[in-house]
């Protein structure tokens, strides 16, 4: 089933966290918190202003984002748990940083 969010909403999938601590201790599922990091899989066209102009979202499918613990609405589509939320619920977009090399 395909799902297309409307307006300034988007759909994301939670990114699974490690089940071990740095020291090697395994954390059981019942003690783990839900991750607040996710990957966007679909976005709506954008928010419509009062004058009717659509303002596109700053995020796109494939972006990894941080969001609030209680943000969005959890839905289940085709057996997969997803979250639908508004762009304003995002705290920021995560980017990979490369190793910095100093030029001499």
């Amino acid at each position: 089933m395909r799902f297309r969010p409307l307006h300034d909403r988007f759909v994301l999938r939670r990114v699974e966290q490690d089940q071990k601590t740095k020291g090697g201790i395994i954390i059981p599922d019942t003690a783990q918190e839900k991750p607040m990091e996710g990957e966007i899989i679909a976005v709506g066209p954008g928010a419509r202003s009062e004058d009717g102009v659509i303002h596109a979202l700053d995020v796109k499918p494939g972006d990894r984002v941080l969001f609030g613990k209680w943000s969005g609405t959890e839905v289940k589509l085709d057996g997969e748990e997803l979250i639908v939320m508004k762009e304003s619920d995002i705290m920021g977009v995560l980017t990979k940083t490369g190793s910095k090399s100093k030029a001499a």
Side-chain angles (χ1 to χ4, degrees):
M1 175 184 317
R2 297 204 53 168
F3 180 79
R4 182 177 54 93
L6 299 176
H7 308 294
D8 64 338
R9 289 181 173 81
F10 60 90
V11 179
L12 67 84
R13 175 184 306 120
R14 285 189 195 268
V15 175
E16 295 299 321
Q17 301 290 324
D18 290 335
Q19 295 183 2
K20 286 186 181 181
T21 63
K22 290 182 180 180
I25 298 172
I26 298 174
I27 303 169
D29 289 340
T30 56
Q32 290 182 7
E33 289 189 19
K34 289 185 177 181
M36 296 186 309
E37 182 179 333
E39 180 182 354
I40 295 180
I41 56 174
V43 297
R48 187 178 301 270
S49 65
E50 291 181 14
D51 57 353
V53 177
I54 294 178
H55 299 280
L57 302 179
D58 289 332
V59 295
K60 61 188 177 305
D63 283 349
R64 289 184 91 143
V65 297
L66 286 178
F67 54 90
K69 188 178 273 192
W70 308 109
S71 299
T73 302
E74 293 184 359
V75 295
K76 198 169 199 176
L77 295 172
D78 292 336
E80 183 177 17
E81 291 186 17
L82 303 170
I83 302 172
V84 178
M85 64 177 64
K86 288 189 168 202
E87 186 179 35
S88 60
D89 292 335
I90 295 177
M91 289 188 256
V93 178
L94 298 169
T95 57
K96 291 184 180 180
T97 57
S99 60
K100 293 183 179 179
S101 59
K102 293 184 178 179

